[in-house]
Amino acid sequence: MSENFATSYSYKLFCDESCHLEHDSSNVMVLGTICCPEESVEKINRQIKALRYQHSYKNELKWTQLHFKQIGFYKALIDLFLETEALRFKATVVLNKKALNHEQFNQGSHNNFYYKMFYYTLRDFLEPRNHYNIYLDYMDTQGRDKAKKLMEVLHNANFGQVNIATYIIRSHESQLIQLCDLLIGALSYSNRTDIAHESKVKNELVDYLVLKLCHRLDMGTPPWEQKFNIFRFSPRGTIC
């Protein structure tokens, strides 16, 4: 088949970030993305809303606001993600964030490093000729500038061969951004060495996710892992 007539597909990428600021209290940074074919998003949203109704869960889902009485709902979401073939997840975990040398490697800018890490997070989902709508959680008034810059970075890295559009939305508007928040929250919690891991609900959720994945969250996965890919980065290089 001629390349001009090759089949193309449309995907939606739902992104979230944890501890991404340069000077916060965390020694790790996590960027995560859930990738879903566009035609599957509506069905999955309905399934998540059905779980919300079943478990009487009305609030926005946030890792920082978990309640043990809702542990059944959180586990049901993990099951839905793992059992839904259309959903794929990739995260970049930056270790020992305070040891980063931006002057030497990132032109003195934490923002430059941030975009590099987001590129690593998204690159495995991007293929020529396909169309991607990327949804970023609204974090601050600089969100539109970040979205524009990220789109430029991705276009340049793919030599303009990937059709990309970026959007800033509020996390409460997206069931899949909230699910992404849950997954990156579990990764951040598992990889932080600067906190006491004393939360009963968080420990049980991490243990449940590890049991289902048959893989620890404080270790990287092989590059070819499709369902739940973890890329770990340290100031001294990548860690598998």
Side-chain angles (χ1 to χ4, degrees), residues 84-102:
T84 303
E85 186 176 353
L87 294 178
R88 293 188 292 153
F89 174 75
K90 169 77 180 286
T92 297
V93 180
V94 178
L95 305 171
N96 198 11
K97 184 174 63 175
K98 300 184 186 305
L100 294 168
N101 189 336
H102 294 317

Side-chain angles (χ1 to χ4, degrees), residues 17-31 94-119 140 142 146 149 153 233 235:
E17 51 202 24
S18 175
C19 308
H20 62 290
L21 299 177
E22 183 176 10
H23 302 295
D24 56 23
S25 60
S26 175
N27 67 344
V28 303
M29 176 173 97
V30 183
L31 304 174
V94 178
L95 305 171
N96 198 11
K97 184 174 63 175
K98 300 184 186 305
L100 294 168
N101 189 336
H102 294 317
E103 292 297 329
Q104 183 175 357
F105 296 106
N106 302 300
Q107 296 80 50
S109 170
H110 181 72
N111 280 342
N112 287 341
F113 175 75
Y114 170 87
Y115 292 118
K116 287 180 183 178
M117 293 301 102
F118 234 132
Y119 165 72
D140 51 46
Q142 298 180 357
K146 286 184 176 180
K149 178 64 175 178
V153 169
F233 177 93

Side-chain angles (χ1 to χ4, degrees), residues 18-107:
S18 175
C19 308
H20 62 290
L21 299 177
E22 183 176 10
H23 302 295
D24 56 23
S25 60
S26 175
N27 67 344
V28 303
M29 176 173 97
V30 183
L31 304 174
T33 298
I34 288 178
C35 178
C36 184
E38 186 173 25
E39 68 269 15
S40 300
V41 171
E42 184 177 349
K43 176 184 177 181
I44 295 169
N45 282 337
R46 290 198 303 267
Q47 291 175 316
I48 294 176
K49 289 177 181 178
L51 289 176
R52 283 178 169 274
Y53 179 80
Q54 178 183 341
H55 293 272
S56 301
Y57 196 93
K58 299 179 181 179
N59 298 329
E60 180 179 354
L61 176 62
K62 286 183 174 294
W63 177 260
T64 57
Q65 299 174 13
L66 300 181
H67 301 282
F68 195 82
K69 65 180 181 180
Q70 292 288 356
I71 190 71
F73 172 63
Y74 307 139
K75 289 182 177 180
L77 280 177
I78 290 174
D79 290 341
L80 175 64
F81 166 76
L82 294 175
E83 295 166 4
T84 303
E85 186 176 353
L87 294 178
R88 293 188 292 153
F89 174 75
K90 169 77 180 286
T92 297
V93 180
V94 178
L95 305 171
N96 198 11
K97 184 174 63 175
K98 300 184 186 305
L100 294 168
N101 189 336
H102 294 317
E103 292 297 329
Q104 183 175 357
F105 296 106
N106 302 300
Q107 296 80 50

Side-chain angles (χ1 to χ4, degrees), residues 93-217:
V93 180
V94 178
L95 305 171
N96 198 11
K97 184 174 63 175
K98 300 184 186 305
L100 294 168
N101 189 336
H102 294 317
E103 292 297 329
Q104 183 175 357
F105 296 106
N106 302 300
Q107 296 80 50
S109 170
H110 181 72
N111 280 342
N112 287 341
F113 175 75
Y114 170 87
Y115 292 118
K116 287 180 183 178
M117 293 301 102
F118 234 132
Y119 165 72
Y120 287 135
T121 308
L122 294 168
R123 65 177 179 179
D124 293 340
F125 295 128
L126 305 180
E127 297 180 7
R129 296 183 300 275
N130 289 342
H131 180 84
Y132 299 90
N133 287 330
I134 300 175
Y135 297 90
L136 305 168
D137 184 15
Y138 176 88
M139 302 297 292
D140 51 46
T141 56
Q142 298 180 357
R144 293 191 181 279
D145 291 336
K146 286 184 176 180
K148 181 179 178 181
K149 178 64 175 178
L150 178 60
M151 188 165 63
E152 291 175 359
V153 169
L154 294 173
H155 269 296
N156 292 338
N158 290 278
F159 305 102
Q161 296 180 8
V162 178
N163 191 354
I164 300 169
T166 55
Y167 303 91
I168 300 292
I169 61 175
R170 303 277 182 173
S171 56
H172 71 265
E173 300 173 327
S174 170
Q175 302 294 336
L176 287 172
I177 281 185
Q178 292 176 61
L179 177 56
C180 189
D181 180 278
L182 185 71
L183 298 179
I184 67 169
L187 280 168
S188 177
Y189 184 78
S190 299
N191 284 276
R192 290 187 67 173
T193 58
D194 58 339
I195 59 172
H197 295 77
E198 298 176 344
S199 169
K200 182 179 179 181
V201 61
K202 292 178 180 179
N203 287 335
E204 183 158 337
L205 270 182
V206 166
D207 289 344
Y208 187 75
L209 186 52
V210 168
L211 176 66
K212 290 289 186 174
L213 291 171
C214 299
H215 189 279
R216 289 169 49 179
L217 301 186

